[in-house]
Amino acid sequence: MADDLENRLQQLELEQETQNTELYKLNDFDKEIRKLESVLAQIETYEVEQSKEEDFERDLTETEKLERELARIDQEYEDDLKRKTKAVNNQKNYIICLMNNPKSPKEWSGKNWVSRGDGTTYNNPEYVKQIFQQLKKQWPNYSLKIFKR
């Protein structure tokens, strides 16, 4: 019987500790609610100062200045892109073809023979000649040609 009473007493003490802990937590929670209420009250009573006309005009002028600068950068980028595109379009591109089937020749990809349009294009005529000579050495019996694209 004494053991039973002691177990019940320990359970009651544990329950009391649990309730005390929960009570402290509630007290902390209550403090947090009071802080939030205080912040909300300050927000409700806070009045926004109207910005001065000068500040607005200054900001507007600054914004317009930045917009003009961005437009200038965009234009420079577009002009540069057009120049580069023109330069590439004026370059002659060369391909090396395997002429086993003249109606649909295979193109050299740098590693193997691929379908028409999938081959490597070379901008430098001297370099394409070097590659052509290497391929001729590797496959002397193949009918190979260099084409301008």
Side-chain angles (χ1 to χ4, degrees):
M1 181 78 130
D3 288 338
D4 188 39
L5 287 175
E6 193 166 325
N7 282 338
R8 289 176 75 188
L9 181 61
Q10 286 176 351
Q11 287 176 351
L12 286 172
E13 287 174 349
L14 263 173
E15 182 64 29
Q16 183 66 44
E17 285 181 37
T18 304
Q19 288 181 3
N20 284 341
T21 304
E22 294 300 319
L23 189 61
Y24 287 127
K25 286 181 183 177
L26 272 175
N27 191 26
D28 289 343
F29 186 65
D30 188 50
K31 287 179 186 176
E32 289 299 316
I33 289 175
R34 301 290 171 244
K35 285 180 188 176
L36 286 173
E37 286 175 344
S38 171
V39 169
L40 287 173
Q42 288 175 356
I43 290 173
E44 286 178 1
T45 60
Y46 182 76
E47 293 181 21
V48 178
E49 292 182 27
Q50 292 185 354
S51 62
K52 298 177 185 174
E53 183 94 12
E54 301 162 1
D55 291 343
F56 178 74
E57 288 177 12
R58 186 196 69 221
D59 290 345
L60 185 61
T61 305
E62 231 7 75
T63 301
E64 289 172 347
K65 182 181 173 185
L66 288 171
E67 286 174 344
R68 285 191 302 274
E69 181 66 16
L70 284 172
R72 184 190 63 77
I73 291 170
D74 283 346
Q75 188 61 47
E76 283 180 6
Y77 175 77
E78 286 176 18
D79 292 345
D80 189 44
L81 188 62
K82 286 178 185 175
R83 278 193 299 276
K84 288 179 181 176
T85 302
K86 271 187 178 177
V88 168
N89 289 340
N90 290 337
Q91 290 178 345
K92 296 202 176 3
N93 293 319
Y94 302 94
I95 56 170
I96 300 172
C97 291
L98 174 62
M99 300 304 296
N100 287 348
N101 180 358
K103 291 182 180 181
S104 181
K106 296 283 188 179
E107 297 179 6
W108 180 246
S109 73
K111 295 182 181 180
N112 56 5
W113 298 102
V114 294
S115 301
R116 185 176 185 171
D118 293 335
T120 302
T121 56
Y122 301 93
N123 298 336
N124 185 329
E126 297 302 318
Y127 184 65
V128 76
K129 287 178 187 174
Q130 289 175 359
I131 300 296
F132 182 80
Q133 292 302 320
Q134 289 174 358
L135 293 172
K136 269 300 209 186
K137 283 182 186 175
Q138 188 173 354
W139 293 294
N141 296 330
Y142 281 22
S143 175
L144 303 176
K145 275 192 177 180
I146 298 175
F147 289 104
K148 289 182 187 177
R149 190 177 260 176

